[in-house]
Amino acid sequence: MSDSLPGVGKIAKDWKSVLNPTEYAVLREAGTERPFTGEYWDTTTEGVYSCRACGTELFRSTEKFESHCGWPSFFEPLAEDRVRYLEDFSMGMKRVEVRCAACDSHLGHVFEGEGYDTPTDLRYCINSVSLRLEEKPVE
């Protein structure tokens, strides 16, 4: 893996030594955890969700909502510069993949126009295994 990829530094030289096999499969190979099995799919704990690979803060609990899809859902990232988007044509459909802008790890996908009662009409469907929650009051 090249250090010239977006945001990828020393840690990228051996992801397998810092991520367990499940984390590696999702974060580095764009896998997906099974619905309703992840650590955060139904948590309501206050805090900030960071990238499990590099620690970049990505989402706040105040933007998390219950979508009943089996994965943590957020209506917006902490800041737009924290994530990047790629067109994804796998699974026989067009989707928008969401990656950590700092380390280029796969987080999940974002969907638009599903009719959820949120301020953005977006659903960031994120794998729990891609995140780490730091419990703290959110301003």
Side-chain angles (χ1 to χ4, degrees), residues 11 14 17-18 24 38 48 51 62 64 72 85 101 110 113 128 132 136-137 139:
I11 195 170
D14 192 3
S17 71
V18 288
Y24 186 87
V48 176
C51 176
T62 52
K64 188 174 188 285
Y85 305 98
V110 61
S128 287
R132 181 163 283 118
K136 62 182 178 183
E139 298 140 17

Side-chain angles (χ1 to χ4, degrees), residues 33 40-41 64 69-74 124-128 131:
E33 64 194 1
Y40 304 123
W41 76 270
K64 188 174 188 285
C69 71
W71 291 276
S73 296
F74 303 87
Y124 287 79
C125 183
I126 307 297
N127 291 285
S128 287
L131 302 172

Side-chain angles (χ1 to χ4, degrees), residues 71-139:
W71 291 276
S73 296
F74 303 87
F75 60 82
E76 67 184 355
L78 192 140
E80 275 300 319
D81 65 350
R82 305 295 174 99
V83 296
R84 69 187 201 96
Y85 305 98
L86 298 172
E87 286 187 339
D88 176 3
F89 294 98
S90 65
M91 310 277 296
M93 64 184 104
K94 180 181 177 186
R95 300 182 295 171
V96 178
E97 179 184 2
V98 180
R99 290 186 176 223
C100 174
C103 71
D104 202 40
S105 288
H106 172 77
L107 303 172
H109 291 85
V110 61
F111 301 95
E112 183 176 16
E114 295 178 317
Y116 289 104
D117 186 22
T118 61
T120 63
D121 200 24
L122 298 173
R123 178 173 59 96
Y124 287 79
C125 183
I126 307 297
N127 291 285
S128 287
V129 74
S130 298
L131 302 172
R132 181 163 283 118
L133 174 61
E134 180 184 347
E135 296 182 26
K136 62 182 178 183
V138 179
E139 298 140 17

Side-chain angles (χ1 to χ4, degrees), residues 11-28:
I11 195 170
K13 291 182 180 174
D14 192 3
W15 284 110
K16 287 186 177 181
S17 71
V18 288
L19 301 173
N20 71 38
T22 302
E23 293 167 346
Y24 186 87
V26 173
L27 290 157
R28 305 312 309 163

